[in-house]
mmCIF file of all heavy atoms in Angstrom:
data_model
loop_
_atom_site.group_PDB
_atom_site.id
_atom_site.type_symbol
_atom_site.label_atom_id
_atom_site.label_comp_id
_atom_site.label_asym_id
_atom_site.label_seq_id
_atom_site.Cartn_x
_atom_site.Cartn_y
_atom_site.Cartn_z
ATOM 1 N N ASP G 84 18.819 -3.575 -11.141
ATOM 2 C CA ASP G 84 18.027 -4.803 -11.131
ATOM 3 C C ASP G 84 18.800 -5.820 -10.380
ATOM 4 O O ASP G 84 19.745 -6.488 -10.845
ATOM 5 C CB ASP G 84 17.752 -5.258 -12.555
ATOM 6 C CG ASP G 84 16.625 -6.270 -12.618
ATOM 7 O OD1 ASP G 84 15.945 -6.549 -11.625
ATOM 8 O OD2 ASP G 84 16.316 -6.781 -13.732
ATOM 9 N N TRP G 85 18.492 -6.022 -9.063
ATOM 10 C CA TRP G 85 19.295 -6.708 -8.092
ATOM 11 C C TRP G 85 19.616 -8.191 -8.509
ATOM 12 O O TRP G 85 20.761 -8.515 -8.492
ATOM 13 C CB TRP G 85 18.552 -6.657 -6.786
ATOM 14 C CG TRP G 85 19.445 -6.786 -5.584
ATOM 15 C CD1 TRP G 85 20.208 -5.826 -5.002
ATOM 16 C CD2 TRP G 85 19.674 -7.881 -4.798
ATOM 17 N NE1 TRP G 85 20.923 -6.230 -3.986
ATOM 18 C CE2 TRP G 85 20.523 -7.546 -3.787
ATOM 19 C CE3 TRP G 85 19.124 -9.195 -4.838
ATOM 20 C CZ2 TRP G 85 20.993 -8.433 -2.771
ATOM 21 C CZ3 TRP G 85 19.536 -10.096 -3.823
ATOM 22 C CH2 TRP G 85 20.536 -9.672 -2.848
ATOM 23 N N PHE G 86 18.661 -9.004 -8.770
ATOM 24 C CA PHE G 86 18.959 -10.404 -9.005
ATOM 25 C C PHE G 86 19.559 -10.655 -10.409
ATOM 26 O O PHE G 86 20.262 -11.668 -10.644
ATOM 27 C CB PHE G 86 17.729 -11.274 -8.863
ATOM 28 C CG PHE G 86 17.302 -11.470 -7.454
ATOM 29 C CD1 PHE G 86 16.009 -11.234 -7.062
ATOM 30 C CD2 PHE G 86 18.213 -11.954 -6.482
ATOM 31 C CE1 PHE G 86 15.659 -11.434 -5.706
ATOM 32 C CE2 PHE G 86 17.872 -12.191 -5.214
ATOM 33 C CZ PHE G 86 16.528 -11.931 -4.830
ATOM 34 N N SER G 87 19.399 -9.779 -11.367
ATOM 35 C CA SER G 87 19.963 -9.936 -12.648
ATOM 36 C C SER G 87 21.380 -9.361 -12.748
ATOM 37 O O SER G 87 22.070 -9.556 -13.790
ATOM 38 C CB SER G 87 19.112 -9.395 -13.749
ATOM 39 O OG SER G 87 19.062 -7.989 -13.618
ATOM 40 N N ASN G 88 21.854 -8.712 -11.705
ATOM 41 C CA ASN G 88 23.161 -8.126 -11.619
ATOM 42 C C ASN G 88 23.498 -7.194 -12.795
ATOM 43 O O ASN G 88 24.526 -7.234 -13.422
ATOM 44 C CB ASN G 88 24.293 -9.265 -11.584
ATOM 45 C CG ASN G 88 24.057 -10.100 -10.323
ATOM 46 O OD1 ASN G 88 23.681 -9.596 -9.270
ATOM 47 N ND2 ASN G 88 24.294 -11.414 -10.516
ATOM 48 N N ASN G 89 22.540 -6.324 -13.108
ATOM 49 C CA ASN G 89 22.782 -5.305 -14.116
ATOM 50 C C ASN G 89 21.915 -4.069 -13.847
ATOM 51 O O ASN G 89 21.138 -4.000 -12.915
ATOM 52 C CB ASN G 89 22.529 -5.901 -15.539
ATOM 53 C CG ASN G 89 21.135 -6.304 -15.769
ATOM 54 O OD1 ASN G 89 20.184 -5.645 -15.402
ATOM 55 N ND2 ASN G 89 20.989 -7.490 -16.394
ATOM 56 N N VAL G 90 22.237 -3.065 -14.681
ATOM 57 C CA VAL G 90 21.440 -1.819 -14.678
ATOM 58 C C VAL G 90 20.663 -1.789 -15.977
ATOM 59 O O VAL G 90 21.253 -1.908 -17.056
ATOM 60 C CB VAL G 90 22.400 -0.580 -14.572
ATOM 61 C CG1 VAL G 90 21.592 0.693 -14.729
ATOM 62 C CG2 VAL G 90 23.133 -0.591 -13.221
ATOM 63 N N ILE G 104 23.243 -2.997 -18.655
ATOM 64 C CA ILE G 104 24.687 -2.872 -18.359
ATOM 65 C C ILE G 104 24.997 -3.824 -17.280
ATOM 66 O O ILE G 104 24.450 -3.702 -16.191
ATOM 67 C CB ILE G 104 25.010 -1.402 -18.016
ATOM 68 C CG1 ILE G 104 24.557 -0.367 -19.033
ATOM 69 C CG2 ILE G 104 26.473 -1.254 -17.697
ATOM 70 C CD1 ILE G 104 24.548 1.059 -18.618
ATOM 71 N N LYS G 105 25.928 -4.705 -17.507
ATOM 72 C CA LYS G 105 26.356 -5.709 -16.528
ATOM 73 C C LYS G 105 27.100 -5.007 -15.415
ATOM 74 O O LYS G 105 27.876 -4.077 -15.579
ATOM 75 C CB LYS G 105 27.286 -6.782 -17.057
ATOM 76 C CG LYS G 105 26.558 -7.839 -17.868
ATOM 77 C CD LYS G 105 25.546 -8.515 -16.963
ATOM 78 C CE LYS G 105 25.522 -10.012 -17.016
ATOM 79 N NZ LYS G 105 24.384 -10.517 -16.231
ATOM 80 N N THR G 106 26.798 -5.472 -14.137
ATOM 81 C CA THR G 106 27.501 -4.994 -12.913
ATOM 82 C C THR G 106 27.980 -6.175 -12.110
ATOM 83 O O THR G 106 27.816 -7.315 -12.569
ATOM 84 C CB THR G 106 26.554 -4.101 -12.119
ATOM 85 O OG1 THR G 106 25.476 -4.910 -11.592
ATOM 86 C CG2 THR G 106 25.978 -2.963 -12.903
ATOM 87 N N GLY G 107 28.439 -5.955 -10.938
ATOM 88 C CA GLY G 107 28.699 -7.025 -9.962
ATOM 89 C C GLY G 107 27.325 -7.415 -9.361
ATOM 90 O O GLY G 107 26.310 -7.013 -9.684
ATOM 91 N N ALA G 108 27.515 -8.262 -8.319
ATOM 92 C CA ALA G 108 26.337 -8.855 -7.652
ATOM 93 C C ALA G 108 25.536 -7.838 -6.884
ATOM 94 O O ALA G 108 26.151 -6.983 -6.157
ATOM 95 C CB ALA G 108 26.757 -9.925 -6.712
ATOM 96 N N GLY G 109 24.200 -7.790 -7.015
ATOM 97 C CA GLY G 109 23.345 -6.981 -6.246
ATOM 98 C C GLY G 109 23.521 -5.466 -6.355
ATOM 99 O O GLY G 109 23.651 -4.762 -5.356
ATOM 100 N N PRO G 110 23.362 -4.932 -7.561
ATOM 101 C CA PRO G 110 23.432 -3.449 -7.694
ATOM 102 C C PRO G 110 22.309 -2.768 -6.937
ATOM 103 O O PRO G 110 21.235 -3.180 -6.943
ATOM 104 C CB PRO G 110 23.340 -3.193 -9.226
ATOM 105 C CG PRO G 110 22.590 -4.400 -9.678
ATOM 106 C CD PRO G 110 22.977 -5.561 -8.844
ATOM 107 N N GLU G 111 22.669 -1.672 -6.258
ATOM 108 C CA GLU G 111 21.717 -0.983 -5.395
ATOM 109 C C GLU G 111 21.626 0.474 -5.845
ATOM 110 O O GLU G 111 21.269 0.728 -6.990
ATOM 111 C CB GLU G 111 22.168 -1.005 -3.968
ATOM 112 C CG GLU G 111 22.083 -2.443 -3.362
ATOM 113 C CD GLU G 111 20.659 -2.801 -2.908
ATOM 114 O OE1 GLU G 111 19.743 -2.012 -3.129
ATOM 115 O OE2 GLU G 111 20.527 -3.885 -2.275
ATOM 116 N N LEU G 123 27.803 3.417 -8.455
ATOM 117 C CA LEU G 123 26.832 2.363 -8.218
ATOM 118 C C LEU G 123 27.350 1.579 -7.009
ATOM 119 O O LEU G 123 28.465 1.068 -7.032
ATOM 120 C CB LEU G 123 26.705 1.538 -9.411
ATOM 121 C CG LEU G 123 25.894 0.240 -9.309
ATOM 122 C CD1 LEU G 123 24.469 0.527 -9.094
ATOM 123 C CD2 LEU G 123 26.034 -0.525 -10.636
ATOM 124 N N ARG G 124 26.515 1.418 -5.973
ATOM 125 C CA ARG G 124 26.829 0.658 -4.783
ATOM 126 C C ARG G 124 26.223 -0.698 -4.967
ATOM 127 O O ARG G 124 25.089 -0.832 -5.409
ATOM 128 C CB ARG G 124 26.332 1.342 -3.550
ATOM 129 C CG ARG G 124 26.720 0.584 -2.295
ATOM 130 C CD ARG G 124 26.182 1.293 -1.070
ATOM 131 N NE ARG G 124 24.722 1.298 -0.940
ATOM 132 C CZ ARG G 124 24.054 0.208 -0.538
ATOM 133 N NH1 ARG G 124 24.629 -0.908 -0.154
ATOM 134 N NH2 ARG G 124 22.722 0.295 -0.466
ATOM 135 N N GLY G 125 27.004 -1.724 -4.636
ATOM 136 C CA GLY G 125 26.473 -3.110 -4.703
ATOM 137 C C GLY G 125 26.194 -3.663 -3.269
ATOM 138 O O GLY G 125 26.728 -3.153 -2.320
ATOM 139 N N ALA G 126 25.432 -4.701 -3.210
ATOM 140 C CA ALA G 126 24.976 -5.338 -1.984
ATOM 141 C C ALA G 126 26.210 -6.075 -1.302
ATOM 142 O O ALA G 126 26.133 -6.317 -0.104
ATOM 143 C CB ALA G 126 23.851 -6.276 -2.190
ATOM 144 N N VAL G 127 27.235 -6.443 -2.110
ATOM 145 C CA VAL G 127 28.274 -7.240 -1.545
ATOM 146 C C VAL G 127 29.538 -6.421 -1.349
ATOM 147 O O VAL G 127 30.630 -6.813 -1.810
ATOM 148 C CB VAL G 127 28.552 -8.451 -2.369
ATOM 149 C CG1 VAL G 127 28.665 -9.721 -1.498
ATOM 150 C CG2 VAL G 127 27.592 -8.711 -3.515
ATOM 151 N N PHE G 129 30.810 -3.595 -2.724
ATOM 152 C CA PHE G 129 31.633 -3.139 -3.850
ATOM 153 C C PHE G 129 31.134 -1.737 -4.335
ATOM 154 O O PHE G 129 30.046 -1.399 -4.099
ATOM 155 C CB PHE G 129 31.700 -4.150 -5.016
ATOM 156 C CG PHE G 129 30.392 -4.313 -5.765
ATOM 157 C CD1 PHE G 129 30.089 -3.452 -6.766
ATOM 158 C CD2 PHE G 129 29.465 -5.316 -5.453
ATOM 159 C CE1 PHE G 129 28.933 -3.573 -7.472
ATOM 160 C CE2 PHE G 129 28.366 -5.420 -6.176
ATOM 161 C CZ PHE G 129 27.996 -4.579 -7.162
ATOM 162 N N ILE G 131 31.140 0.416 -7.922
ATOM 163 C CA ILE G 131 31.471 0.434 -9.354
ATOM 164 C C ILE G 131 31.293 1.820 -9.843
ATOM 165 O O ILE G 131 30.374 2.501 -9.529
ATOM 166 C CB ILE G 131 30.584 -0.495 -10.160
ATOM 167 C CG1 ILE G 131 30.837 -1.981 -9.790
ATOM 168 C CG2 ILE G 131 30.709 -0.312 -11.669
ATOM 169 C CD1 ILE G 131 29.906 -2.996 -10.534
ATOM 170 N N LEU G 133 30.689 3.552 -13.391
ATOM 171 C CA LEU G 133 30.437 3.396 -14.824
ATOM 172 C C LEU G 133 30.552 4.819 -15.431
ATOM 173 O O LEU G 133 29.972 5.723 -15.077
ATOM 174 C CB LEU G 133 28.977 2.897 -15.041
ATOM 175 C CG LEU G 133 28.614 1.584 -14.389
ATOM 176 C CD1 LEU G 133 27.099 1.391 -14.672
ATOM 177 C CD2 LEU G 133 29.424 0.449 -14.969
ATOM 178 N N THR G 146 34.313 0.657 -17.039
ATOM 179 C CA THR G 146 33.944 0.232 -15.685
ATOM 180 C C THR G 146 35.131 0.062 -14.746
ATOM 181 O O THR G 146 36.192 -0.477 -15.223
ATOM 182 C CB THR G 146 33.284 -1.183 -15.799
ATOM 183 O OG1 THR G 146 32.640 -1.279 -17.033
ATOM 184 C CG2 THR G 146 32.281 -1.378 -14.710
ATOM 185 N N GLN G 148 35.899 -1.222 -10.851
ATOM 186 C CA GLN G 148 35.350 -1.829 -9.641
ATOM 187 C C GLN G 148 36.317 -1.790 -8.555
ATOM 188 O O GLN G 148 37.508 -2.024 -8.783
ATOM 189 C CB GLN G 148 34.893 -3.287 -9.919
ATOM 190 C CG GLN G 148 34.140 -3.864 -8.750
ATOM 191 C CD GLN G 148 33.388 -5.141 -9.107
ATOM 192 O OE1 GLN G 148 33.240 -5.399 -10.241
ATOM 193 N NE2 GLN G 148 33.059 -5.865 -8.104
#
Side-chain angles (χ1 to χ4, degrees):
D84 198 5
W85 206 78
F86 285 128
S87 66
N88 300 324
N89 62 43
V90 172
I104 303 165
K105 279 303 223 188
T106 66
E111 291 279 6
L123 169 67
R124 184 180 66 80
V127 229
F129 70 84
I131 292 181
L133 302 174
T146 329
Q148 186 165 343

